[in-house]
Amino acid sequence: MDLVVAVLFQLIYVIANLALISLGLAIIFGMMRVINLAHGEFLMLGGYTVVVATNMGINIWVSMLILAPLVVGIIGVIVERLLIRWLYGRMVDTLLATWGLSLLLVGIVTSIFGASTATTVSPPLGAVRIGAYSASGYELFLILITIALLVAVWLTLRYTKLGLLARGTMQNAEMASSLGVSTSRIYMITFGLGAAVSGLAGGLLAPMTGVLPTIGATYIAKAFITVISGGASILAGTTVGSILLGGINGIFSFIAGSTFGEIALLLAAIILLRLMPRGITGRFFRKSL
């Protein structure tokens, strides 16, 4: 029984982890159709924000939940104003531009912190007991905050004026502009929010993974696979894609090790996109967000 609880907990954690690292990309790529190859670096910057702020004596919860999304969100707004705003509708150009941006960010961070040693911060929570099973309290916290974040983004897009304007602008920018909507401002805010969510994810994961200038490379492939496999509906697609691919990854990792888990995730995504080229929500959950 303890083994079953342990396996289920780790499986849920893997799924939540995948959803957490993918949500920011789902907003920027799924909604805005910007191929953001600097997504992993936004996560990395969130992690370094937590490390630096914590070393300066700032409370780790403030660092993770406030400073990380705030700092990376501001960086995202600056990137959108200086670079991305000129490239909407040109997906290949956004790919090249954000690839160059990712190299620039890695180079800057490497010159400041060095490249060889992972910078770490201790998890703020200890172990908790689930029946007779002892689990990481911080992993449980990450599961709960991922659920809360998905719900918060859904509520924002579904029920707020900003969410309505963002969805309308992304669907038909010319019509939104003709109705008096400042589409340039909506694009800026949406990109900034996507970057802020990525920064939050990177900050939350920093105590579990440590931070390196090149750690973004470990995030970017999984995030793109999840978002593309999920399809056009950013929240439903990210959630269902995370459950399916994260579940496969977790099961095979438990059976055969983490390397085989990563291989199984990739093969599952290839088969899924071969059978459903538009992703899961291209066939199911078409009217969902």
Side-chain angles (χ1 to χ4, degrees):
M1 185 64 182
D2 290 347
L3 179 61
V4 173
V5 174
V7 171
L8 286 176
F9 181 84
Q10 288 302 315
L11 189 62
I12 295 171
Y13 172 70
V14 170
I15 292 170
N17 190 290
L18 194 57
L20 185 62
I21 66 174
S22 303
L23 185 56
L25 182 66
I27 295 172
I28 292 176
F29 175 60
M31 284 187 68
M32 305 180 71
R33 313 312 298 171
V34 172
I35 303 177
N36 182 23
L37 290 185
H39 172 69
E41 281 61 50
F42 285 170
L43 287 155
M44 176 265 291
L45 290 175
Y48 271 110
T49 300
V50 170
V51 171
V52 171
T54 303
N55 290 338
M56 292 174 62
I58 298 174
N59 182 274
I60 188 171
W61 296 108
V62 174
S63 302
M64 291 190 301
L65 300 177
I66 298 177
L67 291 182
L70 181 62
V71 169
V72 181
I74 291 172
I75 293 173
V77 169
I78 294 171
V79 167
E80 197 278 338
R81 289 290 87 184
L82 296 179
L83 181 65
I84 303 300
R85 67 181 297 191
W86 313 106
L87 302 176
Y88 291 120
R90 297 155 55 187
M91 294 184 69
V92 175
D93 291 344
T94 63
L95 183 152
L96 295 174
T98 56
W99 177 54
L101 176 64
S102 72
L103 296 178
L104 175 64
L105 292 175
V106 170
I108 292 173
V109 173
T110 300
S111 67
I112 297 172
F113 296 99
S116 59
T117 305
T119 308
T120 59
V121 61
S122 299
L125 297 174
V128 296
R129 298 196 68 82
I130 304 174
Y133 172 64
S134 179
S136 167
Y138 192 69
E139 289 182 355
L140 179 60
F141 168 75
L142 287 179
I143 292 170
L144 296 176
I145 200 168
T146 299
I147 296 171
L149 188 59
L150 287 168
V151 172
V153 173
W154 181 80
L155 290 174
T156 300
L157 292 177
R158 181 69 177 83
Y159 291 109
T160 67
K161 181 180 179 180
L162 174 61
L164 176 63
L165 293 176
R167 288 187 288 127
T169 299
M170 302 312 154
Q171 291 175 10
N172 193 327
E174 292 184 1
M175 179 65 72
S177 181
S178 68
L179 294 173
V181 177
S182 176
T183 56
S184 176
R185 183 181 179 187
I186 294 298
Y187 278 123
M188 178 187 70
I189 294 173
T190 305
F191 193 93
L193 287 176
V197 171
S198 300
L200 175 62
L204 290 170
L205 291 172
M208 301 299 297
T209 62
V211 190
L212 278 170
T214 56
I215 197 170
T218 66
Y219 295 131
I220 187 69
K222 286 184 180 180
F224 264 105
I225 288 171
T226 303
V227 173
I228 293 172
S229 298
S233 299
I234 63 168
L235 287 179
T238 300
T239 302
V240 176
S242 298
I243 292 172
L244 177 62
L245 299 179
I248 292 172
N249 185 10
I251 291 171
F252 278 87
S253 294
F254 176 77
I255 295 173
S258 60
T259 301
F260 285 96
E262 302 293 334
I263 295 172
L265 183 150
L266 179 60
L267 291 177
I270 293 171
I271 295 171
L272 176 65
L273 291 174
R274 178 66 181 87
L275 297 176
M276 291 182 280
R278 295 185 178 181
I280 297 170
T281 55
R283 179 171 297 181
F284 308 102
F285 312 109
R286 291 184 178 180
K287 295 183 179 181
S288 56
L289 282 177

